[in-house]
Amino acid sequence: MAMSPTMSTTQDDHGDAPEPIEALLPWYAAGTLNAADTAAVEKALAADAGLRAQLALIREDQAEAIHAAESITAPSARMARTLFAAIDAEPLPASARQPLRQAPWLERFGAWLGVWLGALTPRNLAFAALSAAALIALQAGIVAALMAARSPGATYEVASGPGATVAGGSALLVAFEPTARLDQITALLTELNASIVEGPRAGGLFRLRFAEPGDSAIMASRQARLNNAKGVVRLVAPAN
Amino acid sequence: MVGMSEADLVERLAAGDKAAMRAIFNAHHLRVFRFVVRLIGREDIAEDVVTEVFLDLWRQAGQFEQRSSLSTWLLAIARNKAYSALRRRREEQLDEGVAEAIPDHDDTPDVHAQKINKAAILRRCLDTLSPEHRAVMDLVYYQEEPIEAVSRILGIPENTVKTRMFHARKRLSELCQAAGLDRGWP
């Protein structure tokens, strides 16, 4: 955990200690021991009537502790109202404002690239090596544009598409072919005036946002265009 | 938000997604609330504490590294804030005290009637345990947290968790014995 609680001990934490198996009994009763400890406790229980008696007491304690907690009714609606009013009154959390927080997107994109490169056959890899310089330059451009866009309300901008600023608009989910090149992806996004705003999600899906909203006919034509981008797009799906 | 993993929700939360915040709040607020009430014994103060816990989550979601579960993280924050609230109450209302500090020895007829019931005695004794002992019992029995998670929440080593739980059980039996319920242990 990033925020570690303060260490605290009580006087009896240092007093007489239970036997190792005896100490595990409460967790055995709660069913939260790992398999090895569970087996060890069960073996000891089979041979020790004293432990079985302790376990019976623990089950009584457990039943009453659960009853005591369950008898506490839900908090008032005021609590949720107060919390969300406070949240509404606050600026976005620091993690959503700072450029650093955007790193996971890039990391995921990098991870996706890694998977993509890792999936290449030796032949494709050789081809990729030939175009490495162009690929790196394009990637750097996209990354730089993404980094520049990191502020509240900012828009994402495709590096190779000056003026292709995206703010709001409609969205689609897209999975790219493992063999798709960055220059192909960039060209397609530029043509559609779209940008990647999220992903990859499960299944390698990215959310594309179009700069201009579109009705169902326009969205259908965009989807058709993406579907026709053979070798670049593997799958297109509605975003909502 | 249905079907989203906890990791996905936390990621959305860190990006400022209020719908993710509501989903996490709905999933976790009751158990956190009950944990805090068990610790400090006052529902009105517990509501304020839990509000602060989730506000901290909103503000600091980017720091959550997912090495532990979200519930462990929330309960650790809740425990720290509950103890702060307890300290404030002790400073402000020494004469009033808190349940575990000044046990009630004046039995009303209702309390006397309760005492003929073994379960009621046990429950009453649970309530008179120290906050540290109530916390560890609640975490193990009600919250069903494993040893490692209890260690993270309470900020103590795992062996100390086991020892504290043992002493909490022992103290509970002693309180029961003093209340007329001999459990044959310790």
Side-chain angles (χ1 to χ4, degrees):
Chain A
M1 283 185 298
M3 292 195 303
S4 63
T6 53
M7 297 290 278
S8 72
T9 56
T10 65
Q11 198 172 8
D12 63 12
D13 288 339
H14 308 293
D16 58 325
E19 293 298 319
I21 294 293
E22 185 183 21
L24 296 176
L25 287 176
W27 286 274
Y28 175 77
T32 49
L33 279 184
N34 61 37
D37 284 342
T38 299
V41 169
E42 285 176 348
K43 189 177 173 188
L45 281 170
D48 189 334
L51 277 181
R52 291 198 294 276
Q54 287 234 27
L55 182 61
L57 291 182
I58 285 169
R59 292 203 191 282
E60 288 178 1
D61 297 351
Q62 182 186 23
E64 288 313 315
I66 291 171
H67 182 273
E70 293 283 351
S71 63
I72 298 167
T73 53
S76 69
R78 179 192 69 90
M79 190 179 90
R81 279 200 305 272
T82 304
L83 171 67
F84 287 100
I87 286 173
D88 286 341
E90 291 215 344
L92 282 175
S95 53
R97 293 193 307 269
Q98 293 171 357
L100 188 61
R101 180 53 209 158
Q102 298 296 334
W105 193 97
L106 293 173
E107 284 168 16
R108 291 197 309 277
F109 192 75
W112 173 78
L113 276 176
V115 171
W116 172 37
L117 291 170
L120 293 180
T121 62
R123 184 177 156 187
N124 286 334
L125 198 56
F127 176 80
L130 285 174
S131 56
L135 189 147
I136 289 167
L138 280 163
Q139 184 186 7
I142 288 176
V143 168
L146 288 170
M147 294 298 287
R150 304 257 158 78
S151 58
T155 58
Y156 290 102
E157 185 173 317
V158 179
S160 60
T165 303
V166 179
S170 310
L172 286 171
L173 295 177
V174 172
F176 297 106
E177 290 284 4
T179 51
R181 297 193 315 272
L182 274 179
D183 60 334
Q184 293 175 310
I185 295 170
T186 305
L188 186 60
L189 296 181
T190 305
E191 176 191 328
L192 292 167
N193 204 4
S195 62
I196 298 170
V197 294
E198 185 192 340
R201 294 176 167 191
L205 287 168
F206 290 85
R207 177 187 281 268
L208 290 193
R209 185 176 291 160
F210 298 92
E212 293 163 13
D215 58 19
S216 56
I218 291 172
M219 289 306 290
S221 77
R222 286 168 176 166
Q223 191 163 346
R225 173 66 189 97
L226 287 163
N227 272 323
N228 287 333
K230 303 297 179 197
V232 181
V233 172
R234 176 169 57 84
L235 179 74
V236 185
N240 297 314
Chain B
M1 297 291 160
V2 176
M4 287 190 78
S5 71
E6 185 172 284
D8 289 339
L9 280 175
V10 172
E11 201 163 303
R12 283 171 171 264
L13 184 66
D17 185 336
K18 290 177 185 174
M21 182 68 201
R22 282 196 180 273
I24 289 171
F25 176 80
N26 289 338
H28 292 276
H29 80 277
L30 185 55
R31 66 185 302 208
V32 176
F33 176 69
R34 284 173 166 164
F35 176 64
V36 176
V37 172
R38 292 297 297 148
L39 269 180
I40 62 179
R42 284 270 302 266
E43 296 193 5
D44 54 342
I45 298 174
E47 288 192 0
D48 293 339
V49 168
V50 175
T51 301
E52 285 179 27
V53 169
F54 281 93
L55 206 49
D56 271 15
L57 174 67
W58 170 253
R59 289 169 177 158
Q60 302 177 42
Q63 295 178 33
F64 180 61
E65 293 169 3
Q66 306 201 24
R67 287 200 296 266
S68 62
S69 73
L70 186 57
S71 72
T72 300
W73 199 55
L74 288 168
L75 290 171
I77 301 172
R79 173 253 179 197
N80 286 338
K81 290 188 180 297
Y83 279 16
S84 298
L86 265 181
R87 279 194 293 274
R88 282 198 299 274
R89 281 194 66 203
R90 279 174 176 153
E91 288 163 6
E92 291 166 7
Q93 300 177 317
L94 267 179
D95 56 335
E96 188 179 307
V98 287
E100 77 289 347
I102 307 172
D104 178 12
H105 295 297
D106 295 324
D107 291 349
T108 62
D110 284 345
V111 170
H112 181 73
Q114 274 191 342
K115 282 189 173 179
I116 60 172
N117 182 307
K118 182 180 172 182
I121 293 175
L122 197 48
R123 213 170 303 148
R124 181 173 163 78
C125 292
L126 271 172
D127 288 343
T128 55
L129 285 173
S130 69
E132 286 84 4
H133 285 167
R134 279 204 307 272
V136 74
M137 282 212 162
D138 188 70
L139 289 170
V140 176
Y141 292 144
Y142 176 67
Q143 308 283 349
E144 297 186 338
E145 295 287 357
I147 296 167
E148 187 264 343
V150 178
S151 164
R152 283 177 179 270
I153 293 164
L154 298 181
I156 55 178
E158 291 186 18
N159 279 337
T160 308
V161 169
K162 294 177 196 170
T163 309
R164 186 175 293 184
M165 186 63 185
F166 175 74
H167 286 288
R169 292 178 45 224
K170 207 169 155 185
R171 179 70 185 139
L172 180 61
S173 279
E174 288 167 356
L175 287 169
C176 286
Q177 192 165 25
L181 174 62
D182 186 356
R183 308 178 80 198
W185 183 83

